[in-house]
Amino acid sequence: MSLVLGIESSCDETAVALVESDRTIRAQRIASQDDQHAPYGGVVPEIAARAHAERLAPMIEAVLDDAGASLADCDAIAATAGPGLIGGVMVGLVSAKALAMASDRPLLAINHLEGHALSPRLTDASLGFPYLLLLVSGGHCQILLVEGVGEYRRLATTIDDALGEAYDKTAKILGLGFPGGPAVERIARQGDPSAVPLPRPLLKSPEPHFSFAGLKSAVLRAHDSGQYDAADIAASFQQAAVDCLLDRLARAVQQCPDTPSLVLAGGVAANLVVRSALETFAANHGMAFCAPPLALCTDNAAMIAWAGCERLELGQNDPLDFVARPRWPLDPDAEPARGAGVKA
Ligand code: KG4
Ligand code: ZN
């Protein structure tokens, strides 16, 4: 059995965790920077990098303390090495390199998206490969066929905004503050999902790609019209987004029939409406459904340590001169989506 220290610093959460390869989370801490970014209505990269630099070292000490462990007890050091805001990624990766060097343990440079992709296996030992993964976060919206650790086939991506980004922008339009996803979900409970006619971009298109920019613009027009209340707009936005997810997933299932499980991961996986829609979809398609517990959907270090455990078991590690990557697709061979902007 091995013990892996994980570090996450790719966006606005500073996080450290100690995870055993038997799936025990020995300790974990997360510090959000919401209050520092809220005045700007979004994450400011320079502020994020500074906050990571200030918080990381004491947090590593605290997590080791919480677990009653020392650096010498760790079998490897794992850190997010991309994709993400490069200043923050570098803070985490450089710290991991220093710890790996000081303790003479291997370094695992983890793709943040791989952390999300494998996170459901941390809490569900029965989830085997292959599985169809809907990865929905602030920066990504993808459908992937996960065939093994390091084996990811991207079936779909967004040609413009990620779904979490669309949630955040909707929240901003509705004056709900930052971060927006949970706030939109909260007020949508009081709204009527059929009150506002909103588009379902790319619905029924032959490729399973996503687009949310047009939906966001329609939300802005609905808000500016003054005809609808915020709860109705939020509920209608959420319904339109879910309709798009289910339509695109149906297309992906056609492409990969007989995949036994459907998995939901990434920050938007914390949304209960999205979770229950996917659970029903999976049941209707004869698939098992799996999503991490809510606390492991949004960015955390347990998923990074766990991806480290999975790779360590396979005998993998990375050189100490591994360079942080602002962009790092899980499937580098995927064809660019037609009409895609730079984010895809
Ligand atoms: O995975 P994550 O923590 O960070 C990235 O890797 O991007 O995802 C953050 C995103 C944000 O856009 C946030 O608004 C969204 O996930 N999110 C939610 C909910 N909780 C977080 N979106 C909808 N409903 C939620 N409950
Ligand atoms: Zn993430």
Side-chain angles (χ1 to χ4, degrees), residues 157-184:
T157 188
T158 176
I159 65 168
D160 41 55
D161 293 351
L163 183 54
E165 197 178 352
Y167 264 96
D168 292 336
K169 287 177 177 167
T170 295
K172 203 168 180 177
I173 292 166
L174 299 180
L176 301 176
F178 172 86
V184 171

Side-chain angles (χ1 to χ4, degrees), residues 105-122:
R105 298 291 188 266
L107 169 76
L108 290 144
I110 304 294
N111 184 319
H112 178 83
L113 301 174
E114 181 168 54
H116 280 302
L118 298 175
S119 63
R121 287 168 49 84
L122 167 56

Side-chain angles (χ1 to χ4, degrees), residues 198-236:
L198 292 174
R200 271 81 175 144
L202 295 186
L203 207 73
K204 308 288 176 220
S205 94
E207 290 171 328
H209 296 306
F210 298 95
S211 168
F212 293 108
L215 176 57
K216 171 193 67 190
S217 307
V219 164
L220 180 62
R221 282 193 299 275
H223 172 261
D224 288 351
S225 76
Q227 285 182 58
Y228 306 103
D229 75 50
D232 284 346
I233 296 175
S236 301

Side-chain angles (χ1 to χ4, degrees), residues 11 13 112 116 136-139 164-165 167-168 179-182 185 238 266-268 270-272 297-299:
C11 192
E13 254 91 33
H112 178 83
H116 280 302
V136 271
S137 69
E165 197 178 352
Y167 264 96
D168 292 336
E185 178 178 18
Q238 193 158 260
V268 184
N271 183 290
L272 297 180
C297 290
T298 44
D299 288 347

